[in-house]
Amino acid sequence: MDFNIEDVFRGEKKAVAHALNLLEDRRPASLEQNKALIEKLSNNARPSRHVIGITGPPGVGKSSLMTYIIREYRSRGKTVGVITVDPSSQRSGGALLGDRARIVHDPNDDGVFLRSMAAGSHMGGLAWRTRHCLTVFEAVYDIIIIETVGVGQSETEIDQVAGTVAFIVQPGSGDILQFMKAGIMEIPHVLVVNKADQKALAARARNDLMVARTYSQSALEGWELQLVMTSALEGWGHKELIDVLERHNMFLSEKGILEAFRRRKRIEWVIMLFRERFGTFGFEVLGGEEKVRKMIAQEDINNPLERLQALEKKVFCNRLPQRAQR
Amino acid sequence: MTASVNHPKDRPWLMRAYSGYASAKESNLLYRSNLAKGQTGLSIAFDLPTQTAYDSDDILAKGEVGKVGVPVRDHEDMELLFDQIPIEKMNTSMTVNASTAWVIALYVAAAQKQGADISKLRGTTQNDIVKEYLSRGTYIFPPKASMRLTSEVISYTVNQIPKWNPINICSYHLQEAGATPVQEMAFTLANAMGVLDAVKESGHVKEEDFPNVVGRISFFLNAGIRFIEELCKVRVFTKMWDRICEERYGVSDPKMRRFRYGVQVNSLGLTSQQPENNIARIIYEFLGVVLSKDARARSVQLPAWNEALGLPRKWDQQWSLRLQQIMAFETDLLEYDDIFAGSKVIERKENELEEEARAEIDRIQEMGGIVPVLESGYMKQQLVESNTRKLRQIESGEKVVVGVNRFEEAEPSPLTADTEGFFYVVDDSVEAEQIRILEDFRLRRDKEKVARALDHLREGIEKGKNIVELSIECARSGVTTGEWGKTMREIFGEYRAPTGVSLVAADVPQTGEAGKVNERVRKLNDKLGRNLKILIGKPGLDGHSNGAEQIAVKARDVGMEVVYEGIRLTPEQIAESAMQEGVHIIGLSILSGSHLDLMPEIVRNMKKRGLADIPLVVGGIIPEADMEKMYHAGVKKIYTPKDFNLNDIMNGIVDVVAQANHVEL
């Protein structure tokens, strides 16, 4: 490693970027190095960090909303790391990462760092890279925001990496109906009706969602899905949104849910890495996905890459005798 | 209806040339000399900092001061620009959009100082913000605020300067951005409807005056090489506008419903290969907009044959003017009635275009009209997709461009043989001089008066007072363009428009050449360990982003991960983004001619962050003569409009990245 890890912890952007570049490297030769890096980063994760997932359909104004969220957190003295995830083309493997262009931020501010990522070939939408890179952000920034396009599975996946999930909709778009039908209602902790300057439509959206909320299961016991109205256009609602996000974080830590969540997050990370490597075949060899999950849960999982290696060994051991029988 | 030669000859269209450069003083001399030669109107080009409301010493203005037009920073600049020119007698056309309210305020203040009767002023402000979001890029504020500004300029002029044309709605730039004729018509008419609706809603114009508002709206069109289709396009435009004015706005006077339009024929389609062929292109394109008497352009600007190579000289512009004069005065065109009236073939094509345009307008109205549709990125995405399709057709040879993808072999051209001193170049010392003048002005003025005027601006806007009137007070009090812009940015917020790029979904199967590039990218990805990541954006204030967008889409289509950062980037932003994103390469597009000013700054900022090893490639209008300097500054590859084959460009990028990372492919 030709850089100083202390510089990363101090939030020097050049070092942070370097660490991210290393962790994105998928060459087998880089595995050992990355394992060591993740170990160090995990040990230095900020206990007070808050990982927030922002998701919602295209066109609801996520990026302009992000501008205000970042600004508001900065004015409250918090540092902010942002990961934006865009889909990869299944055909070419390429990706257009266009969010950076729309999030207004100050390049001279050392307390803000933005990184765009392609979802890669991974089905659900959040790249394995996202989880790798998250370890860097968790060791450096107070607030970490992961922005994804809310289509298909990415909502469920964001639930596995973010402590607080906010879902953004816009009034009068049909998104809200889709949202209720799709049953995604169970995932977010905060619902944001953006572009609420469209007064009449926004009021209706609010009513619909209030009604829908009473029928849906809460994402978390003791936490009622919060509804916030914002307007990026007229520049209001953001303070209230941040208040709600902070309240949710407080709720998580007071209830002691946070630690359990972080642990579960790491288990799912190993599961994802394992699935990418061996597919369903791997789970079969080790007796099914649930069994694998239990196996992981029994051990200390500060370093998911290490756990993956342990599982790899098991797969090969279990597999080889069978092959010998043939 | 039969064609007849017995009619009095129709009047020819207005022949305009767009000018303004370096400084108010020099532009003033140029205008005075043109007026002395008998030119009747002035068409003023402003530099990009004026168009985006920055002062000359703003970091974003670096390299842009006096480049594409004249810098106007305060009332003294405007007074100097019209020194010894009686504003009251002038017909002045001004290409300004986001900062229209400010520029017109400076103009009114200068006129008043000359003792002019404001109500007698004549002229045009472009004042069309929609196409700025979609193509030209000099927007500042969010769409809704921009619509308010546009509408207030209109209500101010309708009430105070009744002969003024407050808005010139442009489909020109939409075609440049890739619009098909149908998209051009639909987006432009939806735009006009949005503007008129905004004026109506504002309540600032009396109901009985509203037909005058409708009657003062004019349009600015583009004409492409498919000239029969273009001819039908202008005919349909005329018909549809008439109907919209009558049915939607209840305008009963047919004169007020007339589709008044000016044209500049397509200059983006002009080629740098065998550039003499462009004369033929210019003439055919010209035909589309003058042949129909019933839908003839009111004014025409023809580009110069060598525009694809650099800024044209006076002689080049003269040649284009002569093309128009020959058409108007030598040929018999103006002696006939509408020569297509009754043509079945033309009528069929017209009906087809009209039907499709109407359907598209309905779609936009269903989505809530122009403002929400702009915010959603829908139109931009449609344009980027159309443009991608067009470029693919040129690349595959399906669309023939003579001298570019067919009949490339050519005799050496005597016209371009002598390239020494061929192009008009802006003097480097202009920027420093302008900054000096501005600093001097700031010292001389009454600071308290400035602060008070800006406070009034802020308070007045809150109370719903007319922004032009408030800005006139600012102008008189010595507020600078940048100060006005800063205050307005604080009030309305700054906007980053949807780039449309990330919404472009359809990537074609990667076969043939593109498939091979994709293979190379994948191979390189494996060797690098992470996917080839490229940052694409535009430094400086020039907002013509079509080229950058197409490169971004293409790079995605051949398998690269593209951070598309859009327009108006400072050197610092570029370096910082490259670092935070961990890209392998940076691709920049520069068209305004400020490449030599910007490049060293960008390289310096990269070095500061230890990024000297990230290669830079540049695309744009870069004259041969500057290339050596660019390579010297650290640029690895330069692409000019000559390089139309996008696969070649992508291969070049792969090569540069491989080399920079010491990888063999």
Side-chain angles (χ1 to χ4, degrees):
Chain A
M1 257 178 270
D2 57 343
F3 77 109
N4 189 347
I5 190 89
E6 292 303 320
D7 290 344
V8 178
F9 299 144
R10 265 198 302 274
E12 279 183 27
K13 289 195 279 188
K14 207 188 143 201
V16 171
H18 196 121
L20 293 170
N21 294 352
L22 290 175
L23 286 182
E24 285 191 348
D25 193 335
R26 56 166 185 265
R27 283 174 294 191
S30 311
L31 188 66
E32 281 307 314
Q33 173 188 272
N34 285 349
K35 222 171 72 183
L37 185 52
I38 286 187
E39 181 91 50
K40 278 188 202 157
L41 290 164
S42 302
N43 290 337
N44 278 281
R46 298 187 160 208
S48 63
R49 70 193 182 275
H50 184 196
V51 183
I52 301 164
I54 301 263
T55 182
V60 295
K62 285 191 293 295
S63 301
S64 17
L65 191 63
M66 290 285 285
T67 300
Y68 285 99
I69 294 177
I70 294 170
R71 205 172 285 164
E72 181 61 26
Y73 269 121
R74 290 301 291 134
S75 75
R76 296 185 187 194
K78 300 277 174 70
T79 57
V80 186
V82 178
I83 301 176
T84 60
V85 184
D86 278 300
S88 294
S89 154
Q90 295 307 310
R91 210 173 251 144
S92 68
L96 276 165
L97 314 170
D99 298 298
R100 191 177 194 94
R102 301 206 62 202
I103 300 175
V104 182
H105 62 284
D106 176 5
N108 286 318
D109 184 352
D110 283 332
V112 180
F113 192 103
L114 273 78
R115 180 94 161 188
S116 321
M117 279 174 208
S121 56
H122 182 57
M123 279 282 293
L126 280 188
W128 60 266
R129 291 186 255 181
T130 314
R131 303 187 198 227
H132 274 51
C133 292
L134 199 53
T135 55
V136 180
F137 282 85
E138 286 184 318
V140 181
Y141 299 104
D142 302 323
I143 305 295
I144 299 128
I145 306 175
I146 304 171
E147 189 208 312
T148 64
V149 175
V151 278
Q153 272 197 305
S154 56
E155 291 91 351
T156 43
E157 256 202 79
I158 201 140
D159 190 38
Q160 291 167 11
V161 293
T164 305
V165 177
F167 194 86
I168 324 290
V169 292
Q170 64 172 325
S173 59
D175 295 338
I176 293 164
L177 193 69
Q178 283 302 325
F179 174 76
M180 293 189 291
K181 270 196 211 156
I184 317 165
M185 202 75 173
E186 286 148 33
I187 290 157
H189 311 106
V190 181
L191 250 174
V192 183
V193 179
N194 196 22
K195 304 189 183 176
D197 37 272
Q198 300 170 36
K199 297 271 171 338
L201 283 173
R204 224 193 110 186
R206 192 191 169 92
N207 283 338
D208 287 354
L209 289 168
M210 296 280 255
V211 173
R213 181 167 71 176
T214 58
Y215 289 106
S216 75
Q217 264 188 338
S218 172
L220 208 56
E221 209 176 321
W223 175 263
E224 196 186 27
L225 178 62
Q226 295 294 301
L227 212 59
V228 183
M229 315 289 270
T230 57
S231 164
L233 190 70
E234 292 173 3
W236 50 264
H238 311 102
K239 281 194 173 56
E240 198 196 341
L241 172 59
I242 305 300
D243 289 344
V244 169
L245 294 174
E246 287 196 334
R247 213 158 60 227
H248 185 255
N249 194 37
M250 196 90 88
F251 170 84
L252 291 178
S253 45
E254 275 171 7
K255 286 260 175 177
I257 303 167
L258 210 51
E259 269 323 302
F261 163 73
R262 285 174 180 169
R263 196 176 153 71
R264 184 166 57 89
K265 183 166 96 174
R266 285 172 188 276
I267 296 174
E268 291 308 318
W269 181 358
V270 185
I271 289 282
M272 187 205 66
L273 289 171
F274 186 81
R275 183 181 291 119
E276 256 192 13
R277 194 141 164 70
F278 299 105
T280 45
F281 158 83
F283 289 120
E284 270 168 40
V285 171
L286 296 187
E289 189 172 323
E290 269 324 295
K291 195 161 170 222
V292 175
R293 197 169 266 121
K294 272 188 196 130
M295 280 161 63
I296 303 165
Q298 278 162 9
E299 311 274 340
D300 168 52
I301 38 169
N302 204 23
N303 192 338
L305 290 189
E306 208 168 78
R307 293 269 47 83
L308 176 70
Q309 278 186 324
L311 286 175
E312 269 175 17
K313 273 193 201 127
K314 283 211 174 87
V315 172
F316 290 129
C317 290
N318 283 10
R319 189 63 188 152
L320 286 174
Q322 284 178 26
R323 208 176 262 163
Q325 281 167 14
R326 258 191 229 154
Chain B
M1 223 184 287
T2 47
S4 154
V5 288
N6 298 327
H7 280 275
K9 258 176 108 165
D10 199 17
R11 280 208 340 222
W13 49 89
L14 238 144
M15 302 171 200
R16 277 191 196 276
Y18 179 73
S19 62
Y21 63 107
S23 67
K25 201 171 165 185
E26 277 191 64
S27 299
N28 173 262
L29 288 176
L30 176 76
Y31 298 159
R32 272 156 55 192
S33 105
N34 287 348
L35 291 169
K37 283 183 203 154
Q39 185 179 307
T40 50
L42 290 176
S43 178
I44 304 180
F46 294 97
D47 72 351
L48 289 168
T50 309
Q51 295 185 44
T52 45
Y54 290 109
D55 277 338
S56 296
D57 53 357
D58 194 285
I59 172 127
L60 271 164
K62 180 128 186 81
E64 308 277 13
V65 177
K67 274 277 156 61
V68 302
V70 57
V72 177
R73 298 293 173 265
D74 51 60
H75 68 89
E76 285 187 0
D77 278 343
M78 192 61 99
E79 285 156 19
L80 197 57
L81 192 62
F82 285 90
D83 182 35
Q84 298 174 56
I85 299 174
I87 296 181
E88 196 182 286
K89 295 206 174 81
M90 281 296 115
N91 186 333
T92 311
S93 164
M94 298 192 258
T95 304
V96 61
N97 296 282
S99 58
T100 306
W102 173 241
V103 170
I104 206 166
L106 289 170
Y107 188 73
V108 169
Q112 283 170 335
K113 195 149 188 196
Q114 286 188 356
D117 177 354
I118 296 307
S119 68
K120 285 188 183 150
L121 300 186
R122 278 175 311 140
T124 306
T125 36
Q126 198 166 65
N127 196 25
D128 166 31
I129 203 69
V130 170
K131 60 94 174 52
E132 298 296 333
Y133 297 118
L134 295 179
S135 172
R136 197 168 166 270
T138 67
Y139 56 83
I140 304 174
F141 313 108
K144 208 170 166 185
S146 293
M147 273 297 181
R148 174 171 168 193
L149 276 161
T150 300
S151 143
E152 296 206 358
V153 168
I154 295 173
S155 53
Y156 173 82
T157 59
V158 166
N159 293 327
Q160 309 294 332
I161 321 177
K163 284 185 197 140
W164 197 265
N165 296 309
I167 183 168
N168 191 223
I169 296 179
C170 303
S171 79
Y172 178 87
H173 310 81
L174 304 186
Q175 188 182 98
E176 273 196 343
T180 62
V182 168
Q183 286 169 338
E184 219 186 306
M185 289 189 285
F187 295 175
T188 303
L189 294 174
N191 179 2
M193 284 153 68
V195 169
L196 284 175
D197 290 354
V199 176
K200 198 159 205 179
E201 267 166 42
S202 77
H204 292 175
V205 174
K206 278 186 244 135
E207 213 175 305
E208 63 264 33
D209 287 339
F210 199 73
N212 294 336
V213 176
V214 176
R216 291 242 74 88
I217 292 201
S218 60
F219 296 83
F220 181 49
L221 271 55
N222 200 333
I225 194 71
R226 292 170 55 82
F227 77 98
I228 306 289
E229 194 175 31
E230 295 292 84
L231 183 139
C232 295
K233 176 187 83 183
V234 299
R235 297 172 73 87
V236 174
F237 245 135
T238 304
K239 259 197 248 172
M240 287 182 82
W241 181 241
D242 182 78
R243 203 162 310 152
I244 288 169
C245 293
E246 188 170 19
E247 288 169 7
R248 191 180 174 93
Y249 300 108
V251 178
S252 52
D253 180 358
K255 266 204 298 210
M256 295 293 182
R257 303 197 303 255
R258 194 165 162 196
F259 186 71
R260 299 183 305 136
Y261 74 99
V263 171
Q264 161 139 349
V265 311
N266 187 358
S267 56
L268 210 66
L270 302 183
T271 66
S272 56
Q273 296 92 331
Q274 305 174 32
E276 61 279 4
N277 296 342
N278 291 329
I279 284 294
R281 294 192 180 96
I282 291 167
I283 294 173
Y284 295 133
E285 289 168 353
F286 179 35
L287 287 179
V289 296
V290 289
L291 283 185
S292 311
K293 187 182 177 188
D294 290 351
R296 187 168 290 149
R298 306 266 289 215
S299 74
V300 178
Q301 296 177 31
L302 297 184
W305 67 283
N306 56 353
E307 269 195 21
L309 300 172
L311 284 173
R313 301 155 299 181
K314 280 187 180 164
W315 178 82
D316 304 311
Q317 288 176 333
Q318 175 192 296
W319 195 6
S320 293
L321 182 61
R322 295 292 179 259
L323 299 179
Q324 294 205 47
Q325 290 164 333
I326 291 167
M327 178 80 83
F329 305 120
E330 286 190 27
T331 77
D332 56 352
L333 175 71
L334 298 178
E335 294 166 17
Y336 289 84
D337 272 345
D338 195 280
I339 55 176
F340 300 101
S343 160
K344 288 268 181 311
V345 180
I346 296 292
E347 198 180 310
R348 204 178 311 131
K349 182 70 189 173
E350 282 176 17
N351 290 341
E352 185 189 307
L353 288 174
E354 183 175 349
E355 208 172 295
E356 285 177 50
R358 192 177 299 269
E360 187 65 27
I361 292 175
D362 289 346
R363 201 167 304 141
I364 292 169
Q365 294 305 111
E366 266 165 36
M367 286 188 270
I370 199 84
V371 171
V373 172
L374 272 174
E375 285 171 350
S376 74
Y378 167 77
M379 289 189 288
K380 183 67 186 163
Q381 170 220 347
Q382 295 283 307
L383 293 178
V384 176
E385 280 182 6
S386 299
N387 210 9
T388 307
R389 225 172 290 131
K390 197 157 80 187
L391 292 185
R392 276 181 195 142
Q393 286 170 349
I394 295 176
E395 211 173 39
S396 68
E398 194 184 324
K399 197 180 173 84
V400 175
V401 184
V402 172
V404 172
N405 64 5
R406 200 118 157 230
F407 316 114
E408 295 117 282
E409 297 293 308
E411 299 296 328
S413 161
L415 274 180
T416 51
D418 174 28
T419 54
E420 209 54 41
F422 190 56
F423 301 108
Y424 171 73
V425 181
V426 178
D427 190 352
D428 276 347
S429 63
V430 164
E431 190 161 309
E433 175 64 9
Q434 283 301 309
I435 292 174
R436 196 193 58 71
I437 293 172
L438 179 66
E439 279 169 353
D440 174 61
F441 174 79
R442 283 198 195 119
L443 286 177
R444 280 188 286 112
R445 64 187 180 164
D446 180 346
K447 283 196 192 67
E448 268 169 41
K449 218 167 147 193
V450 169
R452 224 176 305 126
L454 288 173
D455 282 344
H456 285 172
L457 177 67
R458 221 171 271 130
E459 288 157 19
I461 285 174
E462 195 120 313
K463 287 185 194 136
K465 283 196 187 156
N466 187 287
I467 296 172
V468 178
E469 281 175 20
L470 295 163
S471 301
I472 293 173
E473 188 202 331
C474 289
R476 277 201 213 112
S477 309
V479 170
T480 66
T481 299
E483 289 161 346
W484 182 85
K486 185 166 174 277
T487 308
M488 295 290 281
R489 282 176 164 94
E490 283 163 11
I491 298 167
F492 292 113
E494 201 158 357
Y495 190 65
R496 305 276 290 169
T499 61
V501 162
S502 49
L503 296 168
V504 176
D507 64 324
V508 290
Q510 297 301 310
T511 52
E513 264 314 300
K516 280 184 208 150
V517 187
N518 188 213
E519 280 297 301
R520 294 188 75 214
V521 172
R522 286 174 193 270
K523 219 164 159 190
L524 182 60
N525 288 347
D526 287 342
K527 296 206 168 167
L528 292 172
R530 56 195 191 98
N531 294 357
L532 198 171
K533 200 173 183 185
I534 179 171
L535 175 76
I536 294 177
K538 285 181 67 64
L541 290 175
D542 160 45
H544 292 84
S545 53
N546 309 323
E549 285 152 9
Q550 290 307 315
I551 293 292
V553 171
K554 180 70 185 183
R556 189 274 309 265
D557 286 355
V558 297
M560 300 181 195
E561 291 184 357
V562 185
V563 180
Y564 181 69
E565 193 153 27
I567 60 169
R568 236 181 276 172
L569 307 174
T570 61
E572 192 167 44
Q573 267 174 323
I574 291 166
E576 186 66 27
S577 295
M579 183 183 81
Q580 291 186 16
E581 294 291 352
V583 297
H584 296 98
I585 185 166
I586 302 174
L588 300 173
S589 156
I590 314 173
L591 298 169
S592 67
S594 52
H595 46 273
L596 286 181
D597 298 282
L598 291 167
M599 235 47 236
E601 268 301 291
I602 292 166
V603 171
R604 196 178 60 79
N605 272 283
M606 285 173 67
K607 281 194 182 136
K608 204 169 96 186
R609 288 169 179 77
L611 305 175
D613 53 344
I614 297 183
L616 269 167
V617 297
V618 173
I621 302 176
I622 317 283
E624 280 303 323
D626 292 351
M627 289 197 178
E628 211 35 60
K629 281 184 211 155
M630 297 280 282
Y631 289 127
H632 188 73
V635 175
K636 286 283 173 299
K637 269 196 159 68
I638 298 168
Y639 297 101
T640 67
K642 235 182 250 180
D643 305 292
F644 71 96
N645 189 320
L646 295 180
N647 287 322
D648 289 349
I649 296 177
M650 294 301 130
N651 267 322
I653 290 172
V654 172
D655 292 340
V656 170
V657 173
Q659 203 190 1
N661 289 277
H662 317 290
V663 170
E664 294 259 341
L665 274 182

